[in-house]
Amino acid sequence: METVSVNKAFGGTQGVYSHHSQTTRCEMTFGLFLPEEANDGPVPVLWYLSGLTCTHENAMNKAGAQAWAAEQGIAVVFPDTSPRGDGVANDDAYDLGQGAGFYVNATQAPWARHFNMWDYIAEDLPSLLQENFALDMSRQAITGHSMGGHGALTLAMSLPGRFRSVSAFAPICNPTGAEWGRKQLSAYLGDDETKWAAHDSSLLMRARGFDGAVLVDQGSEDQFLDLLRPEALANAATERRQEITLRMQKGYDHSYFFVSTFMEDHVSFHAQHLYA
């Protein structure tokens, strides 16, 4: 692992690090905010998964999570959204290829060699973090925005016991039923739609739910609302009688202005469960 940069922030440090990943078979970069409390021992961990076109930098620089995480004594991990590099497959469209990993393990050419973002987030990066930083991996929570909200919800429901809480900002809730999802899932996983269900939070909610609290914020003026399909997740949670808070925020769109507005709420929500 190589240290790219470390900056003092809110009494703690905001670092950027790179490493060679065994799962994505390329160099990966991530951000990690450590609160001041990490100097005295392991601290709880909040994962933030970003959306389409993003790198580790977008949320790290725009979401405002560090200030609220510092208040709560929580570390925040900002992974990249996909493998990258000259030898990594890509596409001219913004919603496929580099910057659009969709947090799945691809099985189809030309994506299968590098696009293993599920294993990267679930196994590879957590192991690296535990080996190198003062993090309490028994206390983890996860959140994300858009494509990252999709990833946060699907990982949380598929890895029981891993995360104490999950939240999302404008997540892609029903990718098997919308253009944002069907295109990518078929490209990465093939045409057998039964293999897509493991990456659809609405279907997972109906099938297994989440053993904990769920918070979702969605802007009413989100330009991608029809592609996100929050109503599918709400209906599935209602059918399962899952504990969930889904808030339609009047007038807000899909931008980081929306995310940063409600970031304090999400960090506080996770702190409540990480310190329970």
Side-chain angles (χ1 to χ4, degrees):
M1 189 184 71
E2 180 179 333
T3 300
V4 177
S5 63
V6 177
N7 297 97
K8 187 83 170 178
F10 300 100
T13 57
Q14 176 61 65
V16 176
Y17 308 91
S18 66
H19 70 110
H20 183 81
S21 167
Q22 296 299 318
T23 54
T24 64
R25 298 184 178 90
C26 66
E27 198 75 7
M28 298 293 291
T29 302
F30 66 92
L32 174 64
F33 172 75
L34 290 172
E36 189 173 11
E37 288 83 350
N39 293 325
D40 300 319
V43 295
V45 183
L46 174 61
W47 292 78
Y48 183 101
L49 305 186
S50 290
L52 287 167
T53 75
C54 291
T55 70
H56 68 282
E57 290 186 303
N58 294 73
M60 190 179 78
N61 293 338
K62 296 179 181 179
Q66 294 92 336
W68 310 119
E71 283 193 5
Q72 302 289 352
I74 295 171
V76 185
V77 186
F78 303 97
D80 202 348
T81 56
S82 78
R84 298 181 191 272
D86 292 339
V88 176
N90 202 8
D91 192 272
D92 291 337
Y94 75 96
D95 57 354
L96 188 66
Q98 295 186 35
F102 263 76
Y103 304 101
V104 303
N105 288 338
T107 59
Q108 305 298 301
W111 314 107
R113 176 168 175 76
H114 297 287
F115 280 72
N116 297 300
M117 288 300 295
W118 180 278
D119 283 351
Y120 179 71
I121 298 297
E123 303 297 337
D124 194 359
L125 188 52
S127 296
L128 183 76
L129 293 171
Q130 189 164 32
E131 292 172 5
N132 290 278
F133 300 99
L135 302 176
D136 182 355
M137 303 303 279
S138 70
R139 292 185 291 167
Q140 296 186 67
I142 191 166
T143 188
H145 173 225
S146 193
M147 179 185 71
H150 141 81
L153 289 165
T154 55
L155 282 155
M157 285 187 276
S158 299
L159 300 172
R162 173 75 63 92
F163 303 104
R164 296 193 180 187
S165 52
V166 59
S167 73
F169 301 87
I172 300 173
C173 295
N174 184 211
T176 65
E179 182 181 343
W180 264 5
R182 295 188 64 83
K183 170 185 175 180
Q184 293 83 2
L185 294 176
S186 62
Y188 292 141
L189 302 178
D191 294 330
D192 182 354
E193 296 190 18
T194 62
K195 297 179 180 179
W196 302 1
H199 300 285
D200 186 307
S201 61
S202 295
L203 298 181
L204 288 171
M205 179 63 74
R206 188 171 284 109
R208 62 179 67 166
F210 177 66
D211 186 19
V214 184
L215 171 64
V216 176
D217 275 315
Q218 172 63 61
S220 67
E221 300 304 311
D222 192 316
Q223 59 270 45
F224 304 114
L225 192 54
D226 290 342
L227 298 174
L228 301 173
R229 294 177 55 80
E231 67 278 5
L233 181 64
N235 291 337
T238 300
E239 289 178 18
R240 190 173 181 82
R241 300 182 181 179
Q242 165 78 43
E243 177 187 1
I244 185 172
T245 300
L246 197 159
R247 308 186 299 190
M248 187 65 70
Q249 302 290 2
K250 186 175 181 179
Y252 286 90
D253 59 18
H254 200 72
S255 70
Y256 266 97
F257 296 109
F258 158 66
V259 173
S260 60
T261 297
F262 299 102
M263 180 57 71
E264 180 183 8
D265 289 357
H266 284 242
V267 174
S268 297
F269 164 79
H270 290 298
Q272 175 185 352
H273 298 285
L274 288 169
Y275 285 108

